[in-house]
């Protein structure tokens, strides 16, 4: 059974980091309800939820994805690009250390988990405002001995690589071509988001199921037409914090 690590959001989320979206008031009660529905959807997709402790002083701590990359062989703890987010890693490590050996990205490298897309043995790493070239190098040094091929991919106009592209099947990715150069997707099929929905490329794949935000009906329709099994959740409040579906969990096989 896959494990999905999550963390409750705190009232501090109203002071979250923002890069590509303008600040709007966040209704924290609604955000909490949406987060609870997100956890329920993960459970429906077969995950066991493991919650990290709430971090009342860390505004972005609900976005656990950025703290670690969990491979079969190890959990790689990141050094997030935003200094305000670095204290999130310790409590994530305390839990992930129960499942995997821990390896750490060290400064001056920076790396956010949202920039790391694992496609089989191929690991694509966004060169973004959060992840630097040294971050890609360190991840390569850690993951290549385990048999992964690590490639840097330039992204622009969005926060992370996974804002621009995620996997929807073993042999297909969903992407926004405005936000990344043609990455090393090999023979994988590239499905584009509807141009009216630039933020729709972030979907979470669990087994053969997909979890997506209900905010993007046109892109969802493209995926329904392909016969994909898609569950949807409302993410309107977390989207105001520049979050999306992958950001709020770390999913791995126990
Ligand atoms: C941040 O700017 O760090 C948060 N407000 C949003 C992080 C979203 N994380 C993700 O996409 N992996």
């Amino acid at each position: 059974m896959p494990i999905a690590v999550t963390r409750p959001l705190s009232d501090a989320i109203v002071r979250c980091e923002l890069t590509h979206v303008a600040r709007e008031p966040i209704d924290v009660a609604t955000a909490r309800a949406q987060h609870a529905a997100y956890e329920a959807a993960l459970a429906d997709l077969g995950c066991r939820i493991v919650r990290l402790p709430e971090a009342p002083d860390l505004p972005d701590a609900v976005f656990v994805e950025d703290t670690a990359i969990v491979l079969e062989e190890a959990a790689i703890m990141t050094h997030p690009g935003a200094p305000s987010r670095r204290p999130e890693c310790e409590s994530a490590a305390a839990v992930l250390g129960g499942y995997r050996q821990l390896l750490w990205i060290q400064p001056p490298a920076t790396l956010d988990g949202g920039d790391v897309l694992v496609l089989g043995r191929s690991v694509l790493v966004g060169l973004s405002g959060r992840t630097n070239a040294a971050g890609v190098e360190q991840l390569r040094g850690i993951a290549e001995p385990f048999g992964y091929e690590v490639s840097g991919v330039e992204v622009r106009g969005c926060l992370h690589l996974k804002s621009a592209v995620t996997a929807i099947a073993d042999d297909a990715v969903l992407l926004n071509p405005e936000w990344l150069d043609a990455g090393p997707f090999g023979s994988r099929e590239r499905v584009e988001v509807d141009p009216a929905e630039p933020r729709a490329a972030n979907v979470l794949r669990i087994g053969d199921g997909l979890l997506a935000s209900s905010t993007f009906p046109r892109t969802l329709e493209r995926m329904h037409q392909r016969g994909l099994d898609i569950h949807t959740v409302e993410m309107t409040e977390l989207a105001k914090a520049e979050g999306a579906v992958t950001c709020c969990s770390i999913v791995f096989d126990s």
Side-chain angles (χ1 to χ4, degrees):
M1 171 183 261
I3 287 177
V5 172
T6 62
R7 187 186 321 253
L9 63 91
S10 77
D11 294 346
I13 194 164
V14 297
R15 299 193 301 277
C16 65
E17 298 278 347
L18 290 178
T19 309
H20 297 280
V21 305
R23 197 167 294 278
E24 285 180 70
I26 295 175
D27 179 333
V28 178
T30 303
R32 281 208 172 87
Q34 291 181 349
H35 190 258
Y38 171 85
E39 287 182 331
L42 293 178
D44 277 352
L45 282 158
C47 296
R48 180 162 72 83
I49 308 295
V50 173
R51 287 194 188 92
L52 300 180
E54 186 174 335
D57 300 324
L58 300 175
D60 285 301
V62 66
F63 301 122
V64 289
E65 171 179 56
D66 293 315
T67 63
I69 296 105
V70 179
L71 303 175
E72 212 177 295
E73 300 83 357
I76 301 159
M77 303 308 304
T78 64
H79 186 65
S84 69
R85 301 207 52 196
R86 292 175 188 158
E88 296 171 26
C89 294
E90 199 178 316
S91 52
V95 168
L96 292 173
Y99 299 95
R100 297 288 193 276
Q101 64 164 319
L102 298 179
L103 299 167
W104 291 80
I105 299 293
Q106 305 285 352
T110 63
L111 181 76
D112 278 16
D115 274 317
V116 181
L117 177 62
V118 180
L119 300 171
R121 304 309 282 186
S122 168
V123 180
L124 305 188
V125 189
L127 283 156
S128 68
R130 296 288 172 86
T131 295
N132 62 18
V136 179
E137 277 313 305
Q138 279 192 25
L139 185 59
R140 179 176 290 125
I142 291 171
E144 281 195 349
F146 296 133
Y148 295 88
E149 187 184 346
V150 176
S151 316
V153 182
E154 298 278 351
V155 295
R156 55 182 173 269
C158 62
L159 189 60
H160 289 128
L161 177 67
K162 280 188 277 191
S163 319
V165 59
T166 54
I168 52 173
D170 284 344
D171 56 358
V173 293
L174 176 66
L175 58 80
N176 176 345
E178 299 291 316
W179 286 350
L180 81 171
D181 294 325
F185 298 112
S187 57
R188 288 179 181 83
E189 186 184 355
R190 298 157 195 215
V191 179
E192 296 190 1
V193 298
D194 186 283
E197 298 174 342
R199 299 191 177 279
N202 184 274
V203 300
L204 177 59
R205 187 167 179 231
I206 297 172
D208 287 330
L210 292 172
L211 186 61
S213 166
S214 57
T215 311
F216 307 114
R218 297 175 187 210
T219 303
L220 283 171
E221 183 51 32
R222 288 185 184 196
M223 292 196 284
H224 280 306
Q225 280 170 4
R226 307 173 67 80
L228 293 167
D229 174 25
I230 307 173
H231 301 231
T232 57
V233 279
E234 281 195 37
M235 296 290 288
T236 55
E237 296 311 300
L238 291 162
K240 291 178 189 170
E242 218 168 339
V245 287
T246 64
C247 326
C248 298
S249 58
I250 306 172
V251 180
F252 56 89
D253 286 322
S254 54

